[in-house]
């Protein structure tokens, strides 16, 4: 068998990965992440023959990225892609062992910040809202927190889908990280969603400021979707930090929305319908808070129906 360099094998491997994407086995964003690592981050390792790859060379590669200031998250991703790439090289006989196994544990990386999958209390969510309110990405964060839509659905929402007078929007599409416009995640993903009064006020203000410059509610064109997602994540991370709350991802806003409604005892079928879940079991999987604490229920009601909350003004008609 001809000796191949890591770079040459990486290109062959990516061709196979694209076939998996075409079959629907891998998502577009996963494939793009693999391609970015193979093409841009293998560095000097790309010129090394697979049979000559040794642990010291991989450690030097990883430590070089640490010295360059690469974040822990990016480091872990790059090592993970290398490990999968070399694992598949073993599968076709180019390697006998995988020198990238347990590579991350051999590095003294800074401890990752604590990440939570949902707000652990409505009070914590309220502090984050107070920190984020009025910021440059507040419209997107409020849309996800108060409706439970996914980040791709929020970025795919157009003004023609929104009826501010009826306090209603319709989710018709989502935008992938690469900017592809497609249908929502599941068959039940295309759905109407209720807009609480506080969110209607936020959207009215955003519409007045944006005018007719963009048909997209968040003002992010599909071609710039990746940057739009990054800004939303950064804004949420900054708000969490300012509020003294553990880091939360945008998808955690969806988890929190479903949990708060479960906490208030809203009918599970209504939650399922607005969340766009195909089954009640999936909605139950997203419900994390229990109704055992009456104060927590009151706090959740204040956050979800903030007509009487000191953090928000009343909506125009006070009906939702």
């Amino acid at each position: 068998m001809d000796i191949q360099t890591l770079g040459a094998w990486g290109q062959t491997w990516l061709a196979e990965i694209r076939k998996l994407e075409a079959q629907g086995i891998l998502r577009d964003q996963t494939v793009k992440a693999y391609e970015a690592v193979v093409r841009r981050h293998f560095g000097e390792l790309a010129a090394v023959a697979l049979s000559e790859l040794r642990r010291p060379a991989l450690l030097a590669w990883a430590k070089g990225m640490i010295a360059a200031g690469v974040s822990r998250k990016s480091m872990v991703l790059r090592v993970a892609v290398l490990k999968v790439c070399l694992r598949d090289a073993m599968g076709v006989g180019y390697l006998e062992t995988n020198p990238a196994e347990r590579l991350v544990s051999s590095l003294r990386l800074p401890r990752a910040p604590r990440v939570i999958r949902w707000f652990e209390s409505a009070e914590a969510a309220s502090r984050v809202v107070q920190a984020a309110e009025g910021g440059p990405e507040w419209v997107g964060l409020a849309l996800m927190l108060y409706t439970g839509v996914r980040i791709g659905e929020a970025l795919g929402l157009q003004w023609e889908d929104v009826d501010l007078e009826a306090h209603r929007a319709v989710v018709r599409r989502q935008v992938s990280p690469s900017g592809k416009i497609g249908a929502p995640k599941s068959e039940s993903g295309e759905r109407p969603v209720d807009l609480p009064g506080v969110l209607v006020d936020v959207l009215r203000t955003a519409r007045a400021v944006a005018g007719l410059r963009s048909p997209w509610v968040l003002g992010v064109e599909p071609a710039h979707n990746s940057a739009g997602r990054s800004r939303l994540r950064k804004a949420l991370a900054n708000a969490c930090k300012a509020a003294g709350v553990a880091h939360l991802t945008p998808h955690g806003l969806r988890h929190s929305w479903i949990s708060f409604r479960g906490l208030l005892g809203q009918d599970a079928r209504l939650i399922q319908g607005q969340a766009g879940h195909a089954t009640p079991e999936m909605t139950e999987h997203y419900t994390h808070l229990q109704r055992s604490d009456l104060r927590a229920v009151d706090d959740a009601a204040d956050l979800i129906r903030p007509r009487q909350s000191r953090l928000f003004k009343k909506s125009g008609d006070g009906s939702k």
Side-chain angles (χ1 to χ4, degrees):
M1 186 175 290
D2 293 337
I3 295 177
Q4 291 200 33
T5 63
L6 174 60
W9 164 248
Q11 295 304 314
T12 301
W13 179 68
L14 285 177
E16 295 301 315
I17 291 297
R18 292 188 200 101
K19 292 178 184 178
L20 296 179
E21 179 193 10
Q23 297 169 20
I25 297 174
L26 289 179
R27 294 187 299 173
D28 170 69
Q29 63 196 78
T30 301
V31 174
K32 287 190 178 298
Y34 286 177
E35 289 178 337
V37 173
V38 171
R39 292 176 176 173
R40 304 201 318 244
H41 304 305
F42 277 180
E44 295 180 357
L45 285 180
V48 179
L50 284 173
S51 60
E52 295 177 5
L53 278 178
R54 299 289 185 271
R55 189 79 165 188
L58 269 59
L59 285 169
W61 168 72
K63 290 177 179 178
M65 289 189 287
I66 294 174
V70 174
S71 70
R72 188 185 196 282
K73 181 178 179 180
S74 294
M75 276 287 307
V76 171
L77 171 64
R78 295 175 191 181
V79 171
V81 173
L82 175 63
K83 183 165 65 175
V84 174
C85 180
L86 296 182
R87 182 197 65 193
D88 289 348
M90 288 177 59
V92 294
Y94 284 112
L95 288 172
E96 292 185 1
T97 60
N98 189 341
E101 289 290 347
R102 295 182 292 280
L103 184 61
V104 170
S105 61
S106 302
L107 304 168
R108 294 185 177 179
L109 298 175
R111 179 173 293 182
R114 179 171 174 250
V115 178
I116 54 178
R117 293 178 61 198
W118 56 85
F119 286 121
E120 296 169 341
S121 70
E123 187 273 334
S126 185
R127 295 205 312 270
V128 172
V129 166
Q130 197 168 22
E133 188 178 15
E137 306 303 327
W138 172 232
V139 176
L141 297 180
L143 186 62
M144 289 185 283
L145 177 62
Y146 288 119
T147 66
V149 297
R150 303 173 179 90
I151 186 171
E153 294 171 343
L155 286 158
L157 195 66
Q158 296 189 346
W159 287 113
E160 67 180 15
D161 306 321
V162 179
D163 186 339
L164 295 178
E165 296 303 319
H167 288 232
R168 183 67 61 88
V170 179
V171 175
R172 304 183 193 278
R173 69 191 71 79
Q174 66 174 354
V175 184
S176 75
S178 63
K180 291 183 179 179
I181 301 173
K185 189 174 181 180
S186 64
E187 291 183 2
S188 52
E190 185 168 333
R191 63 199 185 276
V193 293
D194 293 326
L195 306 178
V198 62
L199 181 56
V200 169
D201 288 344
V202 170
L203 292 174
R204 279 196 177 118
T205 301
R207 185 65 189 269
V209 171
L212 299 176
R213 286 179 294 178
S214 173
W216 306 94
V217 172
L218 300 194
V220 179
E221 298 296 325
H224 304 141
N225 190 266
S226 180
R229 286 172 179 252
S230 296
R231 290 196 299 270
L232 284 167
R233 292 191 184 98
K234 185 175 181 180
L236 181 56
N238 289 340
C240 287
K241 184 176 180 180
V245 174
H247 180 67
L248 184 80
T249 66
H251 198 66
L253 298 177
R254 176 173 169 83
H255 276 267
S256 300
W257 177 87
I258 295 171
S259 289
F260 291 145
R261 274 160 174 71
L263 191 68
L264 290 169
Q266 185 173 356
D267 188 287
R269 290 170 297 179
L270 295 178
I271 301 175
Q272 178 190 344
Q274 179 145 337
H277 284 153
T279 65
E281 289 75 20
M282 179 57 72
T283 302
E284 185 177 351
H285 171 72
Y286 273 65
T287 305
H288 310 287
L289 304 178
Q290 303 300 318
R291 301 189 68 209
S292 55
D293 184 346
L294 292 179
R295 179 174 178 180
V297 175
D298 289 340
D299 287 345
D302 238 10
L303 184 72
I304 294 171
R305 299 193 298 269
R307 292 177 304 215
Q308 300 169 350
S309 169
R310 63 183 178 81
L311 295 180
F312 302 99
K313 296 179 180 179
K314 294 181 179 180
S315 61
D317 60 7
S319 63
K320 292 195 177 186

